[in-house]
Amino acid sequence: MSTRTTGPDEAVTSLAAGARRWIRLHAAYLDSPAAHAEIPEIPRAKALLQLAMLRRHWEQCAPADPALAEVTRVVEQVWQRPDFTRLLALDAGRAGQFELMYAALAPGGPATAASRALLDRLAADRYLAPGRKPPFVHLEARFYSDLAGVEHEFAPYEELYEASPLPLAGPLPVADLDACKVAHTLFYLSDFGLRELPLPAEEQERALRVVERLTDHCVGLGDWDVVPKLMLAQYCLGADPLRTPSGAAGLRMLAAAQAPDGAIPGRSAGERLPADATPVEYFRKSYKVTLIVALMTLVVTSGRTKEPALTAATAIRETL
């Protein structure tokens, strides 16, 4: 029996290949007659928006990957369907968010007639202004407005960050933090790790300590859904999550959780899908987590260097 230990580089390569393979093989299902019959309209619309976000980062991080072509084909086909915009408005509470994402994530850019019509209506309805939205929604709307290249009235990113949960998170127990909001705050500020954060170095170091503690906590919970988001958040903060102790633990957890077909079969270790799950249940419970893992590994592996990044704590010690 082999006793060779798999290193982080080999583990993330295998994890990434499996997740991308599964997404490529199942992307077309979302726009198939079977999916129209088996998946409710609102969850299907949201899943297609998530696929478009992954496609955008896939194109920027690994444009030569042959698997990208199938995902792009599906997104382009859906975005050309006149009836897809109808699905975006079905959830009254999130219609503006979905429509803005649709325009921002259009494969050929937001210059299509459908995208421009949605953006014009969102502007007329004052969705591109703060209004009574909570601060986190301001940040999300600003990110997608900028991505769509549309004028808006949202505050600068630095100001929106100050109103987010992360600046106040230092003294709080990590169990009291909303890990998804913490991660997405950093995603929107950094375009999911594709640009530098507009934050001072000392604030990035402080935030990284919080995110590392939060990652440790979620690894302990066996949370397959949140841990890859926090690993990507570590990357957004300048760390290499394959080298930080919490990120390395997360990588080991996800690699162990991955099914032979490449999927992450459930939201957590406690919710792992049984062997007798129906194909539809397997898809619905695996899709989002597998997509997040594919996104995280795309960004992290595309931006890594040969020299491991320092954790915030190590960086501080070495400057003393």
Side-chain angles (χ1 to χ4, degrees):
M1 185 173 96
S2 173
T3 58
R4 185 173 70 88
T5 301
T6 301
D9 295 325
E10 184 177 350
V12 77
T13 298
S14 177
L15 182 67
R20 293 186 213 176
R21 180 176 66 251
W22 192 87
I23 292 293
R24 175 181 65 82
L25 290 173
H26 293 84
Y29 168 70
L30 282 170
D31 192 40
S32 69
H36 283 250
E38 296 166 346
I39 301 180
E41 290 181 317
I42 292 174
R44 191 167 63 83
K46 185 176 180 180
L48 285 163
L49 291 170
Q50 292 166 340
L51 186 69
M53 173 59 80
L54 175 65
R55 188 215 67 83
R56 175 178 179 264
H57 287 80
W58 204 329
E59 184 176 61
Q60 295 192 48
C61 296
D65 187 344
L68 172 62
E70 175 61 12
V71 173
T72 298
R73 184 192 70 78
V74 173
V75 173
E76 289 178 342
Q77 179 176 284
V78 171
W79 258 242
Q80 290 169 5
R81 292 188 184 282
D83 63 327
F84 182 56
T85 54
R86 177 188 64 81
L87 301 186
L88 305 176
L90 292 178
D91 185 340
R94 293 186 290 180
Q97 172 196 2
F98 286 176
E99 290 170 345
L100 185 55
M101 289 178 68
Y102 169 88
L105 298 174
T112 65
S115 294
R116 291 309 315 172
L118 284 179
L119 291 172
D120 289 345
R121 183 164 57 74
L122 289 171
D125 292 344
R126 301 293 294 165
Y127 187 82
L128 305 182
R132 295 181 179 178
K133 302 180 189 69
F136 180 77
V137 178
H138 288 195
L139 178 59
E140 179 183 58
R142 161 136 204 174
F143 171 72
Y144 286 111
S145 296
D146 288 345
L147 209 59
V150 65
E151 292 186 5
H152 58 76
E153 300 175 27
F154 298 111
Y157 282 110
E158 296 88 343
E159 185 177 325
L160 293 172
Y161 174 78
E162 291 299 325
S164 76
L166 194 49
L168 305 175
L172 294 175
V174 290
D176 293 344
L177 299 177
D178 185 326
C180 287
K181 280 192 176 181
V182 167
H184 278 84
T185 293
L186 296 167
F187 295 166
Y188 297 144
L189 260 67
S190 68
D191 193 0
F192 290 77
L194 297 183
R195 64 172 179 244
E196 293 291 324
L197 284 169
L199 302 176
E202 59 272 18
E203 176 56 24
Q204 292 192 46
E205 292 165 356
R206 189 203 63 79
L208 180 56
R209 290 194 292 271
V210 173
V211 173
E212 287 195 77
R213 288 195 295 116
L214 191 52
T215 308
D216 270 329
H217 174 71
C218 292
V219 169
L221 296 175
D223 195 327
W224 300 343
D225 182 36
V226 172
V227 165
K229 295 179 185 178
L230 293 171
M231 291 175 66
L232 182 53
Q234 289 188 23
Y235 179 86
C236 296
L237 286 163
D240 182 347
L242 308 188
R243 308 297 183 192
T244 63
S246 60
L251 176 62
R252 290 192 296 271
M253 181 187 74
L254 294 169
Q258 190 171 42
D261 65 356
I264 307 297
R267 293 176 60 89
S268 68
E271 299 177 25
R272 188 182 187 107
L273 288 163
D276 61 351
T278 66
V280 175
E281 182 183 17
Y282 189 86
F283 175 85
R284 294 193 66 182
K285 298 293 186 180
S286 301
Y287 174 77
K288 180 191 171 194
V289 186
T290 307
L291 184 141
I292 292 167
V293 168
L295 174 61
M296 181 273 290
T297 54
L298 273 166
V299 176
V300 168
T301 57
S302 72
R304 293 186 65 231
T305 65
K306 294 182 180 179
E307 293 296 324
L310 299 176
T311 66
T314 304
I316 292 170
R317 285 198 302 270
E318 293 201 357
T319 59
L320 294 178

